[in-house]
Amino acid sequence: MQTQTMRLRELTIHYSVRKDLDGQPVVVGRALDRPWDAAAALMTLLQDEPAEVFAILCLTTKHRVIAYHEVSRGTLDSTLVHPREVYKAGLLANAAAIVAGHNHPSGDPTPSPDDVALTRRLVEGGEVIGIPVLDHIIIGDGRYYSFKEAGRL
């Protein structure tokens, strides 16, 4: 009779420097105090993606970026996002708040009904665990949509 041994897996966090297409480090700079600041950072990271990518910026209490996390990568017009995966990264990064963002490869940053519903779920989840969503930004072709600016957050 064979006994099964359960192996313990150690959870570790590994940060690496995000680089642009030229191999240069992506630099965010100052605190993200306004939607435009977050949109500029997310444009650098998501604008040229050929598929829809959902990511978060993890922030300190002073709204300085401490981490970028790609939550999911999808198809031309959709990606699967679950609040559990969003907040797992936020908790591991010890984030005080997050800014969510994704791109629309079509170039039109107008939110879909699914985008609105996801934002609502993320905000509700953030209230429960104590990591507020400061904004959800959709990146289009040289432009963006901010739920905060639109008064929908």
Side-chain angles (χ1 to χ4, degrees):
M1 188 165 171
Q2 192 175 25
T3 61
Q4 292 184 356
T5 304
M6 183 179 269
R7 295 183 181 185
L8 179 64
R9 295 180 294 170
E10 181 181 6
L11 176 63
T12 62
I13 301 171
H14 173 74
Y15 290 99
S16 60
V17 176
R18 175 71 188 226
K19 296 185 178 175
D20 64 17
L21 295 174
D22 298 325
Q24 298 301 311
V26 174
V27 178
V28 174
R30 63 186 181 277
L32 305 183
D33 294 324
R34 300 176 312 256
W36 164 247
D37 298 328
L42 289 166
M43 275 187 192
T44 301
L45 297 162
L46 300 175
Q47 185 165 315
D48 296 324
E49 291 286 351
E52 195 163 305
V53 175
F54 188 94
I56 61 169
L57 297 172
C58 298
L59 309 175
T60 67
T61 56
K62 303 248 186 223
H63 299 168
R64 296 201 179 279
V65 178
I66 53 174
Y68 165 81
H69 178 68
E70 184 177 301
V71 176
S72 67
R73 181 175 287 269
T75 63
L76 182 62
D77 61 356
S78 68
T79 190
L80 184 60
V81 179
H82 193 283
R84 175 182 59 239
E85 300 304 316
V86 171
Y87 285 107
K88 181 182 356 177
L91 288 165
L92 290 172
N94 203 26
I98 64 168
V99 172
H102 74 280
N103 65 319
H104 280 179
S106 68
D108 180 5
T110 304
S112 69
D114 287 340
D115 294 335
V116 174
L118 173 63
T119 302
R120 189 174 313 115
R121 287 182 66 205
L122 291 176
V123 167
E124 290 169 357
E127 289 172 354
V128 170
I129 63 172
I131 301 177
V133 176
L134 299 183
D135 204 347
H136 179 181
I137 294 177
I138 303 172
I139 302 299
D141 189 17
R143 54 198 174 118
Y144 71 95
Y145 179 90
S146 162
F147 279 79
K148 183 175 182 178
E149 282 182 348
R152 299 179 83 175
L153 198 61

